[in-house]
Every structure is written in structure tokens, then in C-alpha cells.
């Protein structure tokens, strides 16, 4: 691990996360441990700790560090949970979740990204993340129930299959809105149904699938 990267991680945690109100010390420590530079294309390694999303190919992005931290904080993970990560992308958020929970299942619709993320996760010491290829808007029924579900792509509404795969007291975070702007929404399963709380404004790439937006036919390269 390079000393520059370690220094950049500390600066990211202090300058981007703590300063913006992330308070969960487990989340801050996890973000300080995961080598984000290994999850971005090699030509962008120097930009890995910038305060924003970066392209990862196939028209997709690795999310802004603050968004990853905010989603993890909302999930309030204690360490023993099973988590579903919808939209593997680079695998970075899955690695952060693996630092915070016992069991992480991550699903990506674009096979080339899923393959690359699987290899990156294994090389970075997160081989136990179960990376699947498929439509994550339908969840991963054979690994349900989940204690927490993080949807890392924008959905017009909460994909109906996901709450059905949540255990008691489980939580879902999802960017809900249009293709161009969303609000990060937290849903918590209670005995009387789902309790909803809106949080920050955000902008994610679209969730494409049965419980998301229609495929607009853009080439995946
Ligand atoms: N969390 C990722 C990371 O750390 O790199 C970034 C996720 S990126 C913002 C959103 C990802 O969701 C893209 O890789 C996209 O291909 C994927 N995606 C979109 N619709 C999906 C679906 N229905 N099922 C699974 N993945 C989907």
C-alpha cells in the first residue's frame, strides 16, 4: 500500500466525509481502509480520492466517496449483517460494505464490470463478496433475507422485489427520482410496514431493469 494513497485516504475521510457530517466511526474507519485507487481504471489512479464520481467504463461510474459513506451510515451496520449491494460497478462500495458487515452479495447487470469487480475484490482481499450478474432490481432471492440493501443506481421508485427480500427491521437505501436527479431515501421495515425517510439530493446512473428504468439502448462500452 503506497504511503501517498494512505495519506489521500485520511484527507478524504477528514475533508470530504467528517466535514460533511458523516459521524459513524465504523464507516469512517472502513473508508480509511479500502484502497479506492485499486477500484478505478489505472489511468485515473491519481484521481481516486477526488471528491466525485469517476468513469469505470461501459458508461458507468464509481460513486463519489461521500455518497458511499452516506449510504453505509444510513444502513447503520453493526457487523453481523447480510447485505445486498445492487449495482456492483467497480466493486468499491461492496468492499466498504464487506468491512462493515458479515456477508455481502453484490449484483451487477453488465457482465464485463461484474467480472472485473470480482477480480479486483479478490486481489484487494475481499474474495468473500459474492458477485452476481443479473437484474438487481429483482434482488437476489436465493440469498434473501437481507438485513440491509444498498441500491447504487437511480430508480423511479423503490423496486417492489426488494422490500420482500428484507428481514425484520431491515433497511434499504435507494436514490429515488428521475434519470437526472434523485433523493437518497431510507426505508426501514417495521411491524406496520415500511417507514420512509428522505435524505440528501443526489445524482446516480439509472437502475436499468424490471424494477427500474427501461434500457435506453446505449452501447455498453
Ligand atoms: N457502487 C459502485 C461502485 O462502488 O463502483 C458504483 C455503482 S454505479 C453508480 C451503478 C451500477 O449499477 C452500474 O455499474 C450499473 O451498470 C449498475 N446497474 C444498473 N442497473 C442495474 C440493475 N438492474 N442490476 C444490477 N446493476 C445495475
Amino acid at each position: 500500500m503506497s504511503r501517498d494513497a494512505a495519506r489521500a485516504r485520511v484527507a478524504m475521510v477528514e475533508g470530504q466525509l467528517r466535514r460533511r457530517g458523516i459521524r459513524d466511526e465504523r464507516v469512517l474507519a472502513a473508508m480509511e481502509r479500502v484502497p479506492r485507487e485499486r477500484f478505478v481504471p489505472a489511468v485515473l489512479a491519481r484521481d481516486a480520492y477526488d471528491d466525485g464520481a469517476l468513469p469505470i467504463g461501459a458508461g458507468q461510474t464509481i460513486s463519489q466517496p461521500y455518497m458511499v459513506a452516506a449510504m453505509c451510515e444510513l444502513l447503520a451496520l453493526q457487523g453481523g449483517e447480510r447485505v445486498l449491494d445492487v449495482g456492483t460497478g467497480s466493486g468499491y462500495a461492496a468492499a466498504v460494505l464487506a468491512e462493515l458487515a458479515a456477508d455481502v452479495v453484490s449484483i451487477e447487470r453488465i457482465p464485463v464490470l461484474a467480472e472485473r469487480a470480482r477480480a479486483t475484490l479478490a486481489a484487494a482481499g475481499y474474495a468473500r463478496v459474492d458477485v452476481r450478474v443479473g437484474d438487481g432490481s429483482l434482488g437476489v432471492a436465493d440469498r434473501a433475507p437481507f438485513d440491509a440493501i444498498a441500491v447504487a443506481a437511480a430508480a423511479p421508485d423503490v423496486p417492489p422485489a426488494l422490500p420482500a427480500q428484507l428481514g425484520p427491521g431491515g433497511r434499504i437505501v435507494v436514490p429515488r427520482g428521475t434519470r437526472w436527479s434523485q433523493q437518497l431515501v431510507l426505508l426501514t421495515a417495521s411491524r406496520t410496514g415500511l417507514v420512509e425517510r428522505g435524505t440528501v439530493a443526489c445524482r446516480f446512473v439509472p437502475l436499468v431493469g424490471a424494477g427500474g428504468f427501461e434500457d435506453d439502448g446505449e452501447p455498453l462500452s
Side-chain angles (χ1 to χ4, degrees):
M1 180 199 314
S2 103
R3 234 184 298 155
D4 284 355
R7 261 199 298 267
R9 265 198 296 285
V10 172
M12 170 191 79
V13 165
E14 296 305 320
Q16 299 175 34
L17 309 184
R18 219 184 272 281
R19 190 175 61 80
R20 285 208 187 92
I22 302 294
R23 291 286 171 263
D24 184 330
E25 290 296 336
R26 291 187 74 243
V27 171
L28 294 166
M31 299 284 295
E32 200 171 312
R33 275 194 297 272
V34 177
R36 185 171 164 92
E37 71 279 6
R38 297 179 73 159
F39 292 84
V40 303
V43 290
L44 295 177
R46 285 173 54 176
D47 306 322
Y49 295 94
D50 285 3
D51 187 11
L54 290 170
I56 56 170
Q60 306 302 322
T61 55
I62 177 173
S63 305
Q64 179 194 32
Y66 170 72
M67 263 314 144
V68 176
M71 292 176 85
C72 289
E73 184 166 71
L74 287 167
L75 293 177
L77 300 167
Q78 302 299 311
E81 297 87 351
R82 175 175 293 177
V83 180
L84 174 63
D85 170 45
V86 176
T88 313
S90 68
Y92 174 71
V96 175
L97 289 166
E99 291 279 351
L100 294 167
D103 190 7
V104 178
V105 181
S106 185
I107 182 162
E108 169 59 53
R109 73 179 266 269
I110 302 176
V112 67
L113 292 183
E115 241 168 73
R116 199 185 301 150
R118 199 179 283 127
T120 311
L121 284 161
Y126 302 99
R128 67 192 171 86
V129 174
D130 177 5
V131 179
R132 303 286 185 97
V133 177
D135 180 359
S137 74
L138 298 172
V140 177
D142 66 294
R143 297 296 311 277
F146 297 99
D147 301 298
I149 300 178
V151 183
D157 210 336
V158 181
L162 299 185
Q165 293 182 20
L166 214 51
R171 292 174 167 226
I172 303 179
V173 281
V174 54
R176 185 177 65 190
T178 66
R179 278 179 181 263
W180 302 279
S181 88
Q182 309 96 34
Q183 182 185 41
L184 195 59
V185 173
L186 170 69
L187 298 116
T188 308
S190 78
R191 253 175 287 146
T192 52
L194 284 178
V195 178
E196 182 178 317
R197 174 155 75 87
T199 69
V200 293
C202 53
R203 184 170 181 182
F204 281 78
V205 295
L207 182 76
V208 176
F213 290 100
E214 269 180 40
D215 192 347
D216 62 7
E218 268 192 40
L220 302 176
S221 60

